[in-house]
Amino acid sequence: MTQHPAAPEEREPRARTGAQAPQAEAPGPAPVLPNVLRFPRSSAVMGEGAHAGEVAHFGGPLREQRLLAQGRAVADLQAVRVLTLTGPDALTWLNSLTTQKIDTLRPGQSTETLVLSPTGHIEHWLRIHDDGERLWLLTDGDAAAALGFLESMKFMMRVELADVSADYQCLGFDAARLEAAPASAAVPGGLPAAIVWADPWPEIGEGSASYAALDLGMPVASPEHPGGEHAFRIAVCDRAALADWDPAAAGLEVVGRDAWEALRIEAWRPGLPEVDHKSLVGELDVLRTAVHLAKGCYRGQEAVARIHNLGQPPRRLVFLHLDGSAHALPAPDAEVRAEVRGAVRAVGRITSAALHHELGPIALALVKRSLPVDEQLLVEVDGGEVITAAPEPIVAAQRENRSGVPKINRDVDQRHR
């Protein structure tokens, strides 16, 4: 389908209605930025709230998912905000504040990291790419809050932070079927990308460990992990160059955020929609890609180590196959219920849901760790209808303490000197 820029007389894109919009942190005071990407605006259904100004879908979400999975489309991720970090202390300073080992990051390398509260709960989630001159920090959440926290921690360090979202717009694509994949520099159709963030999911990074039942205690991800079917990338494009780029001329179509979310759910890939004020890294299995267990101290490190070495996370992420007889999907935060001690009780909540082009209605949910892994679940959808859900465990209900614990990094651990 040929795509052209919107003509001035075209009507404004329709507001998105109906089913769930992907959850995100409170959007904060940031203004809605102009979307310079070329797409058929008269057929676009736009996001709302934190996703205002971003395409949700074009009325054919299943087709859009297939195109994205085949490497024949790019997803509009206009809501992703872009920060930059420069200065001679950038790597060591950010390493001291967040969960990932960043001080050894190499030019061209991508990773992700978390800012935790002192009690180990997730506060900010940052995707990181090092281009050799600066660090690029991408976030779906409240960029102003993340920037405010980082600015407050600068003290005398030689670092400079900037929000460059007004100059750059993000697009997502799946590189699994691109000829040059999985190289992080590969982009489809000459996309004018300043940098490309390469998602490490579902690799188990050095110094990290898996909480997934599928590969618990293994040094590498299981070949059966559904995340291995995808290679998610986020291209950060200069807005001026992107405005001149024609997707149709490059043989590509533009798809909405909903297609990106459906593939993410299929891949068991946790994101900001899975985060609430109680979220711990072990509950989401994000420790495998965003946390280094032997790098030294950072805020919240003691809580992470205590749960990993001595305990179990109180909740666990599950993948749900939903009953397809309903005409709606469960909304984010919809109750997940099960029979407990002879009565149907709430045992968790839906975090993300989608109608997948192959799997049908699917969802991610956080449930109580003590819930049996094969327990039949119930979920309420719009209108009060209750549907059944068959769970597939992501995070293991039980794991051996210290499974997958890496050796202590003697270069940063002062206790044994």
Side-chain angles (χ1 to χ4, degrees):
M1 178 175 65
T2 303
Q3 299 173 337
H4 303 282
E9 65 273 17
E10 278 191 290
R11 63 182 182 272
E12 287 298 313
R14 298 193 303 270
R16 184 180 186 184
T17 59
Q20 79 295 348
Q23 266 187 315
E25 290 180 11
V32 177
L33 297 172
N35 193 327
V36 302
L37 181 62
R38 297 189 185 191
F39 57 84
R41 296 178 182 263
S42 61
S43 60
V45 178
M46 307 302 289
E48 298 175 345
H51 293 271
E54 178 183 84
V55 178
H57 61 81
F58 291 95
L62 302 186
R63 176 179 175 274
E64 293 174 41
Q65 292 171 31
R66 286 192 292 269
L67 291 172
L68 189 60
Q70 293 166 359
R72 297 166 53 198
V74 292
D76 180 24
L77 303 183
Q78 151 82 357
V80 175
R81 292 298 182 252
V82 184
L83 312 177
T84 57
L85 173 61
T86 56
D89 296 329
L91 288 172
T92 54
W93 174 73
L94 193 60
N95 183 76
S96 69
L97 296 175
T98 65
T99 58
Q100 185 59 275
K101 185 169 175 58
I102 298 167
D103 56 353
T104 56
L105 202 64
R106 302 183 303 274
Q109 188 175 5
S110 299
T111 187
E112 63 179 340
T113 194
L114 305 169
V115 175
L116 303 182
S117 72
T119 53
H121 298 103
I122 298 172
E123 290 189 344
H124 302 290
W125 197 324
L126 302 172
R127 307 177 181 99
I128 303 176
H129 182 85
D130 185 349
D131 71 357
E133 297 181 359
R134 65 185 64 79
L135 291 181
W136 298 78
L137 312 177
L138 312 181
T139 179
D140 284 311
D142 188 340
L147 188 62
F149 168 76
L150 294 173
E151 286 283 0
S152 72
M153 301 301 293
K154 284 170 59 173
F155 302 112
M156 299 297 291
M157 303 301 288
R158 297 169 298 171
V159 295
E160 293 295 331
L161 288 152
D163 185 341
V164 296
S165 303
D167 299 320
Y168 294 93
Q169 182 170 332
C170 293
L171 284 78
F173 62 96
D174 191 341
R177 291 174 176 81
L178 292 179
E179 292 183 2
S184 61
V187 294
L191 189 65
I195 61 103
V196 175
W197 178 80
D199 192 348
W201 187 264
E203 298 174 6
I204 302 173
E206 181 181 356
S208 302
S210 169
Y211 272 46
L214 196 64
D215 48 27
L216 188 64
M218 294 172 57
V220 296
S222 167
E224 298 180 5
H225 195 293
E229 298 294 319
H230 301 278
F232 297 122
R233 303 287 184 265
I234 297 179
V236 180
C237 302
D238 180 271
R239 288 181 183 268
L242 185 61
D244 293 332
W245 181 67
D246 186 355
L252 296 169
E253 292 195 29
V254 175
V255 301
R257 165 77 72 153
D258 285 1
W260 179 265
E261 288 294 297
L263 299 190
R264 179 185 71 82
I265 295 169
E266 176 204 356
W268 297 0
R269 208 316 175 200
L272 201 62
E274 279 61 62
V275 176
D276 59 21
H277 68 285
K278 300 185 294 183
S279 294
L280 301 168
V281 293
E283 296 176 334
L284 306 181
D285 192 33
V286 75
L287 192 145
R288 68 195 298 145
T289 53
V291 181
H292 194 290
L293 289 165
K295 56 165 267 187
C297 294
Y298 54 87
R299 190 168 78 154
Q301 183 264 343
E302 290 185 2
V304 172
R306 188 182 309 114
I307 292 175
H308 186 72
N309 294 325
L310 302 175
Q312 306 282 356
R315 301 180 299 179
R316 56 186 178 87
L317 191 66
V318 297
F319 177 84
L320 299 180
H321 295 275
L322 302 173
D323 180 359
S325 63
H327 298 290
L329 291 169
D333 285 327
E335 276 190 355
V336 177
R337 303 166 187 162
E339 186 173 331
V340 179
R341 297 187 297 276
V344 175
R345 307 174 191 271
V347 294
R349 68 178 186 91
I350 296 291
T351 58
S352 303
L355 181 62
H356 191 269
H357 68 104
E358 291 180 336
L359 301 176
I362 57 176
L364 296 177
L366 279 166
V367 300
K368 294 181 178 180
R369 180 180 59 83
S370 58
L371 188 73
V373 295
D374 56 352
E375 184 75 21
Q376 182 82 2
L377 302 177
L378 301 172
V379 180
E380 183 175 321
V381 297
D382 290 345
E385 183 180 2
V386 176
I387 61 174
T388 58
E392 194 171 340
I394 297 179
V395 173
Q398 295 288 337
R399 62 181 184 87
E400 180 184 353
N401 287 339
R402 299 192 61 81
S403 63
V405 176
K407 294 180 179 179
I408 292 174
N409 186 337
R410 302 297 181 184
D411 292 333
V412 299
D413 186 62
Q414 302 290 329
R415 297 167 297 176
H416 297 273
R417 293 189 174 183

